Amino acid sequence: MAHNKTILSDAPAPIGLASFICLLGAFFYLYEFILQVSPGVMTHQLMRDLRLNASSLGIMSSCYYYAYTLMQMPAGFLYDKLGARRVLFAAIFICSAGALVFGHSHSMAAASVGRMLMGAGSAFAFVGALVLVARWFAPKLFAVLTGGVQLLSSIGAMVGGAPLATAVLAYGWRQTISTIGYAGFALALLVGLFVRSYPK
């Protein structure tokens, strides 16, 4: 019983701190949706620069989902075993590294590796956001806050549409994706500094 009290406190967490920590987790979900849909707005540039046809472009893009699906299985276990901060930090770092690999790729093989890294890291985004919500807020708020997390994912999908297409046209797909990768490293740093698995 004493051990349980060290994990889950009866006192509610400060609302500002709880909101900030859960927003960091939710922003990762938004972030991964931008990367997930990004090839759709740079199809012609990718086919030209990486010398792809429609078939090879489809295979390269789908590498994201192969890794995403595979890593869904251990995600919950790792959150319970290692804690939210460590797992989220590592997942965002891997996802961001994948964006940089993709942005600097000059072949289908390198681009596919980048997409796989993005997918592997992204597999932890939704589960991580829900873990933080469940641990930092009262159970009665879980449903509405889960809806908020889903809302951010929809915003991420929209940002990965017209706004991302505009950035690609203005700065090129390599610089755009690389910039998104660097933004991910900044998010990983914030997670490493501020996220805790449980309120004390």
Side-chain angles (χ1 to χ4, degrees):
M1 191 70 178
H3 175 68
N4 289 338
K5 287 185 177 180
T6 64
I7 297 177
L8 295 175
S9 173
D10 292 334
I15 188 67
L17 178 62
S19 299
F20 180 64
I21 287 175
C22 291
L23 271 176
L24 289 177
F27 277 135
F28 179 34
Y29 196 37
L30 181 153
Y31 178 81
E32 71 94 355
F33 254 87
I34 296 174
L35 291 176
Q36 183 181 145
V37 303
S38 60
V41 300
M42 54 185 74
T43 299
H44 298 299
Q45 294 91 335
L46 291 173
M47 294 179 72
R48 179 195 65 211
D49 294 347
L50 301 179
R51 297 178 295 280
L52 304 174
N53 56 33
S55 177
S56 56
L57 176 67
I59 294 172
M60 182 271 295
S61 298
S62 66
C63 285
Y64 178 101
Y65 300 99
Y66 297 145
Y68 187 96
T69 302
L70 182 64
M71 295 306 295
Q72 285 285 301
M73 292 184 287
F77 170 77
L78 289 175
Y79 274 113
D80 287 337
K81 185 72 174 177
L82 301 177
R85 180 172 64 89
R86 292 178 180 178
V87 176
L88 269 177
F89 176 85
I92 299 171
F93 189 92
I94 291 170
C95 194
S96 304
L100 287 184
V101 170
F102 186 79
H104 290 83
S105 62
H106 293 276
S107 68
M108 175 185 170
S112 297
V113 170
R115 288 290 290 173
M116 289 185 71
L117 289 172
M118 285 187 272
S122 296
F124 294 84
F126 184 57
V127 177
L130 297 190
V131 165
L132 292 176
V133 167
R135 292 176 179 175
W136 281 87
F137 283 95
K140 64 182 180 181
L141 296 175
F142 184 79
V144 67
L145 292 177
T146 299
V149 172
Q150 292 280 24
L151 172 64
L152 284 179
S153 72
S154 299
I155 294 173
M158 289 189 292
V159 172
L164 186 62
T166 301
V168 169
L169 289 175
Y171 304 106
W173 70 272
R174 295 186 187 278
Q175 184 174 344
T176 300
I177 291 296
S178 296
T179 300
I180 294 174
Y182 290 123
F185 286 129
L187 179 59
L189 179 61
L190 290 174
V191 166
L193 289 174
F194 295 107
V195 167
R196 297 295 179 266
S197 296
Y198 296 95
K200 294 296 183 180

